[in-house]
Structure formats: structure tokens, C-alpha cells
Amino acid sequence: MTDRTARVRELNLYRQYFELVAAGTKTIEVRVKYPHLADLAAGDTIRFRIKDTDETCDVEVLRVTEYPDFEALLDGEGPSNVNPTAARNQQLANIRTIYGPEKEALGALAIEMKLTH
């Protein structure tokens, strides 16, 4: 048991992924292990926002798991949980378009989440 207080984080999300989260079909968010996400933990809330809009969607963090790279993350979490509308190879290409090799080298985070209402 800890005295840790759950926090609300705001993160931007592309519309196509935002819509999957808002529909409850995307249950794993992929992020690079940036220092500002190092203390993200179960119980925290993420408020996803479509950049430059007022559209938001809140999720509760259920689990954060670290992987050495995006391939290991997709294998460990299952591609359909990350994006149920795309095949694994397409997802890997999409993720690597967003995050270059220097970012992937920092490590990958799988954030399991559920919608809050």
C-alpha cells in the first residue's frame, strides 16, 4: 500500500486512435518511455485530447508494462488490443512512422486502460 495520489495526465492522440479509445475497442496505448511518463501507474487517469481541439476522452490506467521495443510490445500485448482495425505489420509501420528509431531506443510502454464515464 502506498500513499501515492492518482494523477490526471493529458496526452495528445491522433483522431483515428482517439475514436478507437472513445469506442472502448482500443485497450492498449503505445508510448515511448519518456522520462515524464516514468511514474505513470495503475489508478492514474489519462485525458486524451485530439491536438488543437476541445475533444477529450478520459481513461483509467489499469497497468503499465515496459518493453524493449515496439515489436516485443505488439507480441506481448496482442495487436488487436493496440489497434483492432489494422494488422500487426501495418501497426508496426504506423508506430514507427510516429516514433523514429532514436525514440524506440528509449523503450516502449504498453498502457492498459479502460474508459471512465
Side-chain angles (χ1 to χ4, degrees):
M1 187 85 176
T2 66
D3 293 333
R4 195 182 152 285
T5 303
R7 295 167 306 250
V8 176
R9 306 283 184 100
E10 279 215 14
L11 298 175
N12 288 322
L13 202 56
Y14 290 109
R15 179 171 297 280
Q16 68 194 54
Y17 303 120
F18 179 92
E19 289 175 357
L20 293 171
V21 171
T25 56
K26 177 177 171 58
T27 58
I28 301 290
E29 172 62 6
V30 175
R31 293 288 162 143
V32 166
K33 188 184 171 199
Y34 290 122
H36 74 276
L37 294 176
D39 61 349
L40 185 66
D44 286 347
T45 296
I46 297 174
R47 177 164 296 133
F48 287 115
R49 176 179 304 277
I50 299 174
K51 192 171 182 161
D52 300 324
T53 76
D54 291 331
E55 293 180 71
T56 63
C57 175
D58 289 359
V59 298
E60 178 186 344
V61 175
L62 301 177
R63 169 181 58 86
V64 180
T65 304
E66 185 178 336
Y67 290 93
D69 55 38
F70 299 131
E71 285 197 57
L73 185 151
L74 287 173
D75 290 344
E77 300 295 331
S80 64
N81 295 316
V82 175
N83 182 348
T85 66
R88 181 188 182 280
N89 289 345
Q90 185 60 54
Q91 288 185 52
L92 190 58
N94 292 346
I95 294 167
R96 287 183 168 154
T97 298
I98 297 167
Y99 300 115
E102 72 288 351
K103 302 284 193 217
E104 186 173 2
L106 298 172
L109 296 177
I111 304 166
E112 184 179 10
M113 60 198 172
K114 70 173 183 179
L115 279 173
T116 57
H117 295 287

